Amino acid sequence: MTAPTLPRLSREVRLAAVPEGLPRPEHFRVVEQPLPVPGEGEVLVRNTYFQVFPALRILVAGGAEGAPFPGLGPGDTLFGPAVGEVVARPGTAGPPVGSLVSHFLGWREYAVVPAEQCVTLDDGALPDPAAHLSQGSLAYTALTRVAGLRPGETVFVSGGAGGIGSVAGRIAGLLGAGRVIGSTGSPAKAERMTHGLGYDAVVLRNPEHSFSDRLAEAAPEGIDVFVDMVGGEQLRAAVRAARPGARFVLIGTLAGQLSAKGGGATAPVEIDTFQLVVKRITMRGISGADHPEAQAEWTRTFGAWLRSGEITFPHVRIAGIHNAPAALRALMDGQHLGTVVVEL
């Protein structure tokens, strides 16, 4: 394959200043730099899509102890999941020119990626290449590998309108759940969740009403599986609503990440451990690096569901890297439903 003509410059998003509280567009700057040149064992990827995700709050605040990725300082380029095309490969290592790949060096138009950090994607596996940025694999892994969802069980998904939650409801139903309940803070999102995203009921966050009481109304017989993206009071309410033998899978801590206080790296909550004991509740945290064997299975299953119309990929596309900082702020403010993708 003939190598494409490459530009002289590439744009990327850098952290300009460490924010106090939630990040705003003025904490970032989009800069031009000479096109990076790959060395032996590296490939140059022209990014076509990258994902905007809430955990960036932790990274731009300097990171957190035990986190899988380092924190960022002023002048550092942001990073995150991306999909793109290999446009240069000086050696023989890694995917050849023209390959569709995923990697973790988003937030830039062109990325030099170590060959071993590129995952070659089947160009026809999913109807839309951007769907490779869906976080549905985490929900699928939580339900199939960790919680062991059984037919007819009741599932509660906190943060049901986010990147993971927006597909978790439909996944749970397709895997045999009898009733699927989600949570959100937006009536408009709640309407969307129950009309197209697979949720039978949605619990709205409202400071004037007890979340625990509202969850009990939505699940009068209790919950069997909890997929948690939020933590905080919703985790506490799930303990109260749990049936004997319930399984909790903790994926995110949006209660901490979206708080204006602190750096987003903590999400303390007081729960009744007596209830954990007497109800024999199991609780396990997972990350995207767990169960790598499930990724290929998920991609095949997701592709089949997309083509059959049994599931969708709820997402928002933001055009242009110059709009990425504002997209992050909008995500933090809860303006979007589903995965937020920047298209280059």
Side-chain angles (χ1 to χ4, degrees), residues 160-181:
I164 299 173
S166 60
V167 290
R170 183 66 71 192
I171 292 171
L174 289 168
L175 292 175
R179 182 169 173 79
V180 186
I181 302 162

Side-chain angles (χ1 to χ4, degrees), residues 14-29:
R14 294 179 182 172
L15 181 65
V18 176
E20 293 184 7
L22 295 174
R24 299 183 298 275
E26 58 264 32
H27 293 117
F28 308 94
R29 56 193 177 100

